[in-house]
C-alpha cells in the first residue's frame, strides 16, 4: 500500500521531493508532539479531578468536624449547667447542715442545762 501512497511523487524534481520529505517529517513530528500534549492534558485533567475530589472530601470532613464540634459544645454547656445546679444544691445542703448543726448545739446546751437543773 505504501507504493500507492508514494506513486503521486513520481516525476517530481529532487528539490520538490526534498521539500515533501521535510514537510512529511514535520507532520510526523507535529503528530508526536500533539500526542504528547494530549497525554499531558489527560494527565493534568486526571490530576485536577483528583484534587477536586480531595477538596470535596476535605469540605465534607470539615463539615462533619464542625457538626461534631457544635455537638460537643452543646454537651459542654449542658454539663456546665448541671455543674452549676449541683454546686447550688451543695450550697443549699451545706447551709441546711449548718443550721441543723446550730440547732443540735443549741439542743445540746438545752439538754445540759436541763440535766443540771435536774441535778439541783
Amino acid at each position: 500500500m505504501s507504493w500507492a501512497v508514494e506513486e503521486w511523487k513520481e516525476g517530481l524534481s529532487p528539490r520538490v521531493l526534498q521539500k515533501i520529505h521535510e514537510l512529511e517529517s514535520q507532520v510526523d513530528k507535529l503528530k508526536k508532539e500533539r500526542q504528547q500534549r494530549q497525554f499531558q492534558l489527560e494527565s493534568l485533567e486526571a490530576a485536577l479531578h483528583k484534587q477536586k475530589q480531595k477538596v470535596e472530601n476535605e469540605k465534607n470532613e470539615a463539615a462533619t468536624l464542625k457538626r461534631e464540634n457544635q455537638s460537643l459544645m452543646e454537651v459542654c454547656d449542658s454539663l456546665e449547667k448541671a455543674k452549676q445546679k449541683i454546686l447550688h444544691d451543695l450550697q443549699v445542703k451545706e447551709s441546711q447542715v449548718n443550721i441543723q448543726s446550730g440547732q443540735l448545739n443549741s439542743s445540746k446546751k438545752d439538754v445540759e442545762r436541763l440535766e443540771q437543773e435536774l441535778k439541783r
Side-chain angles (χ1 to χ4, degrees):
M1 188 79 161
S2 167
W3 60 271
V5 172
E6 298 292 323
E7 200 173 86
W8 67 273
K9 296 179 186 176
E10 287 181 14
L12 297 175
S13 70
R15 186 170 175 216
V16 171
L17 288 174
Q18 176 64 31
K19 187 65 175 173
I20 290 172
H21 177 69
E22 288 173 9
L23 290 173
E24 287 175 339
S25 294
Q26 200 173 25
V27 166
D28 288 342
K29 181 181 174 186
L30 290 172
K31 282 181 183 178
K32 287 179 185 177
E33 188 176 314
R34 183 187 163 278
Q35 286 176 338
Q36 287 177 340
R37 290 192 181 192
Q38 183 64 33
F39 177 74
Q40 286 176 339
L41 176 63
E42 290 168 0
S43 297
L44 289 172
E45 285 174 341
L48 176 62
H49 178 70
K50 188 174 180 180
Q51 287 297 320
K52 283 182 178 181
Q53 187 66 39
K54 189 175 180 181
V55 166
E56 188 63 31
N57 290 343
E58 293 292 328
K59 283 181 182 178
N60 290 339
E61 186 177 344
T64 300
L65 289 174
K66 189 175 181 178
R67 283 191 301 272
E68 185 178 339
N69 187 42
Q70 182 64 32
S71 174
L72 289 173
M73 286 174 59
E74 289 170 4
V75 168
C76 285
D77 288 345
S78 174
L79 289 172
E80 183 62 31
K81 287 177 184 174
K83 176 186 167 187
Q84 292 300 325
K85 183 182 182 308
I86 289 170
L87 286 174
H88 179 264
D89 291 348
L90 178 61
Q91 288 174 345
V92 167
K93 288 181 181 184
E94 283 177 342
S95 176
Q96 290 172 346
V97 166
N98 288 336
I99 290 170
Q100 290 176 351
S101 179
Q103 289 174 346
L104 179 61
N105 286 336
S106 176
S107 295
K108 281 182 182 179
K109 286 180 183 175
D110 287 345
V111 167
E112 286 176 9
R113 186 180 48 79
L114 289 172
E115 283 178 346
Q116 292 206 358
E117 282 183 21
L118 281 175
K119 285 181 185 177
R120 287 185 205 161

